[in-house]
Amino acid sequence: MKHSLCFHCGDSCDRHVITFQEKLFCCNGCKTVYEIFSENDLTCYYDLQNSPGAIPKEIQGKYDFLEQQKIIDKLLEFNNENTQIVTLYIPHIHCSSCIWILENLNKLNPGISSSQVNFGKKNVRITFNSITCSLKDVVLLISSIGYEPYISLDDFKTGKNNVNRSLIYKLGIAGFAFGNVMFLSFPEYFEVGEYWLEQYKHLFRWLMFAFSVPVIFYSAQDYFISAYKGLRSRILNIDVPIALGAAVLFLRSTVEIIFDYGSGFFDSLTGLIFFLLLGRFFQQKTYAYLSFERDYKSYFPIAVTKVTSDGKEIPTQVYDVKKGDRLLIRNEELIPVDGILISGNASIDYSFVTGESETVSKQSGDKLFAGGKQTSGGIEMDVLKSVEQSYLTQLWSNDVFSKNKEDGFTTLTNAISKKFTFTVLAIAFISTAYWLFVDPSKAINVFTAVLIIACPCAIALSAPFTFGNLLRIFGKLKFYVKNASVIEQLAEVNTIIFDKTGTITTSQKSHATYQGEALSASEEMLLKNTLRGSNHPLSRTLYQILDEHNIITLNRFEEHLGKGIEASHNDTNIKIGSANFVGNLADTSVLNTSVHISTNNIYKGKYTFHNNYRKGLSKLFNTLKKDYDLVILSGDNEGEQENLKKILPSKTKLIFNQKPNDKLEYIKYHQTEGAKVLMVGDGLNDAGALAQSNVGISISENVNVFSPACDAILDASKFNQIINYIRASKSAIKIIKWSFVLSFLYNTIGLYFAVTGQLAPVIAAILMPLSSISIVVFTTIATNLLGRRLE
């Protein structure tokens, strides 16, 4: 390899050169440890494995046990070839800055492909390449930047929740010290002139100092550690002004009692830390109460087909799946649990987990991991362990499947918090400099009050709480939204596109008639088993209509999206799908929805379907037409055009004979013209269109194909409520804007009193958590009222 010079340090490197923004950086030449990233710029990458001296001494050797394979296997939740996934509990996550840092770990170590934070549960889910980055490297990296994980193998064995009581201990010590310091400060408050009080005032002051020491060095240590790690990493988080204010209070107070200038501000210091910790404690409790990690075990409609001991196939909700059950996984279905392959041709695509779309062939007896997608017909598997619905949630939220979707609102919220910190520091230093000239005695109070009162926590909390609560409400109403950003996107749509088959039509009442040459018993059995492996709405409908037949293992199965299915067993080959696909060119002019069949390239006949449209379809479209452009984008022919014209508003565009790629290109074109597109489809043939649209909604009936291509899953029974969900999303944006206004007013008023020297630091410390809690209360009550209107 050609030697290159590192842009940062100038050293040559012949082993591992990183290219970023057309510049080269070496992994082992840079001696600067934490000169890493701002949000849009990476200045240097450093390799923990090759720079052991850069690892803080306190954690060197601490995680050597992570080199043992048995322990690694217990900690990993996914391990296939080079890709590994681990979820780590991080007790120190407490603000939006923490989330931003932990979700940008890939900028610190290219071996990490993605990291996702669950703020409510205080954990981070990390996907990494085991060849270039070990589990130990991952743990050392996040520990070195101030987010040391809590790892307990006993918890992984028993399944107990990780409980961290350090916050309670710190809160208790701070509260005890605050109460005693306030009591000892009473003589100073009231300027009592009693002889014995005056005689022992120095003792009282030193006792206050003694009570403050554990508060500043133990109770407040998280703020100092977070601020130090952030500054060392060139990241200005919101703990910096808090730590700076506390340090100034302690040092100033210590100097005052040493030189007998006064009693200092130990009461303000202990009160500050106590109320900050109290606010954090209530914030955690509020998150736990609202449970923004939606409980999919309660209502998520994803179902799989369980095969009973007598061979019956029963649709079963995923959370009812238990160890020892036998499941049928159809083509394009997601494997919901770990299991053992029993029969069928397994070709598993793990891109939902890893982001790399390479299929892996498996043989009978091989282990299958949850999250893989079967891509070659139906298979049967035995379940090794029960499902974890939150795991499917994590797959659905994988950044790989949302990289083209703008997440501007969340990014804006984080940007406000970061810029706010710079502004607060500037105001604090400028106002302090002013008071040093006007009245030096007020300067320290002004400095600390400004730092405390203007914390951006309230701004950072408004969007997560509003969207999080609405996600929970939507879930109860059978509208399952992928993440918070989808709600914002949904509020901005101006064009709504519907698929026809399986979307505005229902398979629950559909029926079909057969025309053509009678099929032999073997052909009927092959037809039934071929349809068994498909999840297309027409395939599922026809499968239910046909008589029962023995289950056979197909030699080959291939599904051509937008065309049909092809399969073979022994010497018989079958094609099921459109007239062109099976070779019946003479039938292309017929305008009915039909499924054609040919065996060994000999045309047999067709099943003609009679559509049944969903309840409330006409009323829904007439309501939507007032504010949205409406389009029916169907892969079927024009056979239903006249019926649709009678049902739907006159301005509705009806476009037929669209292949999956045609749908995608149609949406892409209109997006370039300024359209914000909502696509409503069935999740299979519409996968490309769902992914291309600004918001993609997949309609779910009995059995659902779990697809990260969609942004939300809507229960088919709630199809006529789409307009209500859109209106609720618009209202959520208004709630967030009002909470921003309230937070801005609070900060403006608070800063006025702080800058003018009229606000004591201890009062500011009380008001800061109250402001955050008030925002949470406002957004929660407002969204709950919004939810009641939806019911």
Side-chain angles (χ1 to χ4, degrees):
M1 178 177 178
K2 182 180 179 181
H3 287 254
S4 303
L5 295 181
C6 173
F7 180 82
H8 178 73
C9 66
D11 288 352
S12 62
C13 177
D14 58 356
R15 188 180 66 83
H16 190 171
V17 177
I18 300 162
T19 303
F20 187 83
Q21 293 184 352
E22 299 182 353
K23 301 183 181 71
L24 296 177
F25 301 90
C26 64
C27 60
N28 57 356
C30 297
K31 306 304 180 185
T32 305
V33 178
Y34 286 105
E35 290 188 17
I36 33 186
F37 58 87
S38 61
E39 187 164 5
N40 297 314
D41 182 39
L42 177 65
T43 57
C44 176
Y45 160 76
Y46 100 98
D47 187 355
L48 282 169
Q49 184 174 0
N50 293 293
S51 303
I55 303 174
K57 293 182 179 179
E58 63 269 19
I59 63 172
Q60 287 184 17
K62 184 176 181 179
Y63 295 104
D64 288 346
F65 66 89
L66 293 178
E67 296 175 351
Q68 299 181 28
Q69 192 59 44
K70 290 183 178 180
I71 295 178
I72 294 174
D73 291 339
K74 291 178 180 178
L75 294 174
L76 294 175
E77 68 180 51
F78 181 85
N79 183 11
N80 187 62
E81 297 185 348
N82 299 337
T83 301
Q84 296 181 343
I85 298 177
V86 65
T87 298
L88 298 172
Y89 176 65
I90 312 292
H92 303 301
I93 299 177
H94 69 280
C95 68
S96 58
S97 294
C98 301
I99 297 172
W100 183 80
I101 294 168
L102 290 171
E103 290 191 344
N104 282 275
L105 293 177
N106 60 310
K107 294 184 177 181
L108 299 176
N109 191 329
I112 298 175
S113 57
S114 68
S115 51
Q116 294 174 312
V117 173
N118 183 323
F119 187 84
K121 291 189 174 181
K122 289 187 175 295
N123 61 38
V124 57
R125 183 172 183 267
I126 303 172
T127 304
F128 59 97
N129 188 315
S130 58
I131 301 299
T132 60
C133 178
S134 67
L135 177 59
K136 179 183 175 183
D137 294 335
V138 171
V139 173
L140 286 173
L141 173 61
I142 60 177
S143 298
S144 66
I145 60 175
Y147 296 95
E148 186 171 358
Y150 176 79
I151 299 176
S152 171
L153 293 182
D154 288 336
D155 291 334
F156 281 88
K157 291 177 183 177
T158 61
K160 296 179 180 178
N161 293 326
N162 296 318
V163 178
N164 186 280
R165 296 185 175 87
S166 63
L167 177 59
I168 298 175
Y169 300 149
K170 293 171 183 175
L171 179 61
I173 290 175
F176 175 77
F178 176 52
N180 281 279
V181 170
M182 289 289 288
F183 178 75
L184 293 169
S185 299
F186 277 142
E188 305 278 357
Y189 293 156
F190 300 106
E191 298 181 357
V192 178
E194 295 290 340
Y195 171 75
W196 71 274
L197 290 175
E198 184 67 22
Q199 183 181 6
Y200 290 104
K201 71 176 182 180
H202 297 291
L203 174 62
F204 293 163
R205 290 174 180 177
W206 282 107
L207 284 174
M208 288 190 286
F209 171 81
F211 280 119
S212 300
V213 169
V215 173
I216 197 73
F217 288 103
Y218 175 66
S219 296
Q221 67 176 346
D222 289 344
Y223 295 103
F224 286 98
I225 292 173
S226 177
Y228 170 69
K229 299 290 187 181
L231 291 174
R232 191 171 65 172
S233 301
R234 294 189 176 181
I235 301 169
L236 193 61
N237 58 42
I238 61 177
D239 287 331
V240 171
I242 294 174
L244 185 58
V248 170
L249 275 175
F250 181 75
L251 293 175
R252 167 68 185 274
S253 301
T254 304
V255 169
E256 285 199 5
I257 65 169
I258 290 176
F259 295 99
D260 199 19
Y261 293 151
S263 59
F265 302 92
F266 291 118
D267 51 351
S268 298
L269 171 64
T270 53
L272 164 66
I273 302 304
F274 172 70
F275 287 115
L276 285 174
L277 293 174
L278 187 65
R280 182 183 291 186
F281 176 77
F282 278 116
Q283 181 178 312
Q284 287 186 7
K285 288 297 181 181
T286 306
Y287 263 107
Y289 173 74
L290 292 176
S291 185
F292 289 164
E293 169 64 15
R294 294 151 284 161
D295 185 7
Y296 280 74
K297 292 184 179 181
S298 299
Y299 50 72
F300 201 45
I302 292 179
V304 292
T305 301
K306 184 168 72 173
V307 181
T308 62
S309 57
D310 57 358
K312 293 184 178 179
E313 298 171 5
I314 304 173
T316 305
Q317 289 197 12
V318 176
Y319 65 83
D320 288 333
V321 173
K322 300 176 182 177
K323 181 179 180 180
D325 287 346
R326 176 167 292 197
L327 301 181
L328 167 63
I329 307 298
R330 294 184 174 84
N331 190 51
E332 297 295 316
E333 274 191 346
L334 200 72
I335 299 172
V337 294
D338 293 348
I340 299 295
L341 177 63
I342 300 300
S343 63
N345 299 317
S347 183
I348 312 299
D349 178 3
Y350 282 113
S351 62
F352 288 1
V353 182
T354 65
E356 299 178 3
S357 56
E358 292 184 4
T359 57
V360 180
S361 297
K362 297 290 184 180
Q363 304 298 322
S364 179
D366 289 346
K367 184 176 181 180
L368 305 178
F369 286 98
K373 183 179 71 172
Q374 165 64 357
T375 62
S376 182
I379 58 173
E380 291 188 17
M381 59 176 286
D382 272 349
V383 177
L384 289 179
K385 58 183 180 182
S386 60
V387 71
E388 284 295 338
Q389 283 284 4
S390 59
Y391 182 69
L392 295 181
T393 311
Q394 292 164 349
L395 291 176
W396 197 14
S397 300
N398 195 322
D399 286 341
V400 173
F401 307 103
S402 59
K403 59 186 178 182
N404 293 323
K405 309 274 184 173
E406 294 297 330
D407 193 10
F409 196 83
T410 303
T411 303
L412 176 61
T413 303
N414 289 338
I416 290 174
S417 298
K418 294 168 191 173
K419 293 176 181 178
F420 200 83
T421 302
F422 284 101
T423 305
V424 168
L425 288 174
I427 294 174
F429 283 111
I430 293 172
S431 57
T432 302
Y434 169 80
W435 282 106
L436 283 173
F437 288 101
V438 177
D439 186 355
S441 63
K442 291 186 176 181
I444 186 64
N445 282 349
V446 169
F447 182 72
T448 52
V450 170
L451 293 179
I452 298 163
I453 199 68
C455 178
C457 291
I459 294 177
L461 288 175
S462 58
F465 272 86
T466 301
F467 286 145
N469 205 20
L470 195 58
L471 288 175
R472 180 178 60 84
I473 292 169
F474 278 172
K476 288 184 177 181
L477 300 174
K478 298 185 178 182
F479 181 45
Y480 311 101
V481 180
K482 182 177 181 178
N483 53 44
S485 66
V486 175
I487 296 177
E488 184 201 3
Q489 297 284 350
L490 188 60
E492 296 178 354
V493 299
N494 52 31
T495 301
I496 305 179
I497 298 176
F498 293 87
D499 175 49
K500 184 175 78 70
T501 305
T503 301
I504 64 173
T505 64
T506 176
S507 61
Q508 298 297 315
K509 300 178 182 179
S510 295
H511 60 281
T513 55
Y514 180 71
Q515 295 174 289
E517 180 183 337
L519 301 176
S520 66
S522 61
E523 289 174 334
E524 286 185 359
M525 182 174 63
L526 179 56
L527 171 62
K528 179 80 172 181
N529 280 273
T530 303
L531 294 170
R532 182 174 184 253
S534 172
N535 253 308
H536 191 278
L538 293 180
S539 299
R540 302 297 308 128
T541 301
L542 186 55
Y543 179 77
Q544 298 296 330
I545 293 173
L546 296 177
D547 295 332
E548 293 292 332
H549 284 277
N550 294 331
I551 296 173
I552 59 175
T553 300
L554 301 174
N555 297 338
R556 184 172 66 90
F557 179 99
E558 188 173 359
E559 191 158 6
H560 304 270
L561 294 182
K563 297 179 180 179
I565 316 167
E566 186 174 5
S568 62
H569 178 68
N570 294 335
D571 297 328
T572 306
N573 182 75
I574 190 170
K575 286 185 176 182
I576 309 167
S578 66
N580 280 332
F581 179 70
V582 302
N584 184 27
L585 300 180
D587 199 84
T588 56
S589 60
V590 179
L591 298 180
N592 291 320
T593 300
S594 303
V595 171
H596 299 259
I597 302 167
S598 69
T599 58
N600 293 329
N601 296 320
I602 300 174
Y603 183 74
K604 291 293 183 178
K606 65 179 179 180
Y607 283 90
T608 302
F609 290 84
H610 305 279
N611 290 308
N612 286 280
Y613 292 100
R614 296 196 185 279
K615 181 180 179 181
L617 175 65
S618 180
K619 182 179 179 181
L620 172 65
F621 270 66
N622 279 295
T623 305
L624 291 172
K625 73 176 182 179
K626 300 174 184 177
D627 302 305
Y628 303 95
D629 293 329
L630 301 178
V631 182
I632 297 294
L633 204 60
S634 175
D636 295 338
N637 53 41
E638 295 90 344
E640 285 293 311
Q641 185 168 351
E642 294 304 318
N643 287 335
L644 286 172
K645 285 182 178 180
K646 296 176 183 177
I647 298 173
L648 303 181
S650 58
K651 293 183 179 180
T652 304
K653 296 178 182 177
L654 303 176
I655 304 175
F656 296 93
N657 298 308
Q658 297 294 295
K659 297 179 181 178
N661 190 62
D662 295 333
K663 296 181 181 181
L664 187 153
E665 293 298 328
Y666 180 89
I667 293 174
K668 184 185 294 186
Y669 170 76
H670 283 277
Q671 285 175 328
T672 61
E673 298 293 314
K676 302 290 185 181
V677 178
L678 165 62
M679 174 68 193
V680 185
D682 57 40
L684 184 60
N685 284 344
D686 303 319
L690 291 169
Q692 178 62 42
S693 62
N694 298 84
V695 178
I697 298 178
S698 178
I699 299 296
S700 168
E701 294 207 40
N702 285 337
V703 179
N704 182 69
V705 181
F706 184 84
S707 174
C710 68
D711 299 298
I713 298 174
L714 177 64
D715 189 280
S717 64
K718 297 291 183 177
F719 175 79
N720 59 355
Q721 300 296 315
I722 288 177
I723 182 61
N724 294 332
Y725 300 128
I726 297 175
R727 288 172 176 171
S729 300
K730 292 180 179 291
S731 297
I733 300 300
K734 293 179 181 178
I735 291 172
I736 292 173
K737 290 179 179 179
W738 274 111
S739 66
F740 278 174
V741 171
L742 291 176
S743 180
F744 177 77
L745 290 175
Y746 164 80
N747 282 300
T748 302
I749 296 171
L751 281 174
Y752 168 77
F753 287 103
V755 170
T756 56
Q758 303 178 57
L759 189 64
V762 67
I763 303 300
I766 297 172
L767 293 177
M768 192 205 72
L770 287 178
S771 70
S772 297
I773 294 172
S774 66
I775 291 295
V776 171
V777 171
F778 169 74
T779 56
T780 303
I781 292 175
T783 48
N784 284 340
L785 291 174
L786 179 61
R788 289 184 181 180
R789 296 209 309 264
L790 290 174
E791 294 176 356

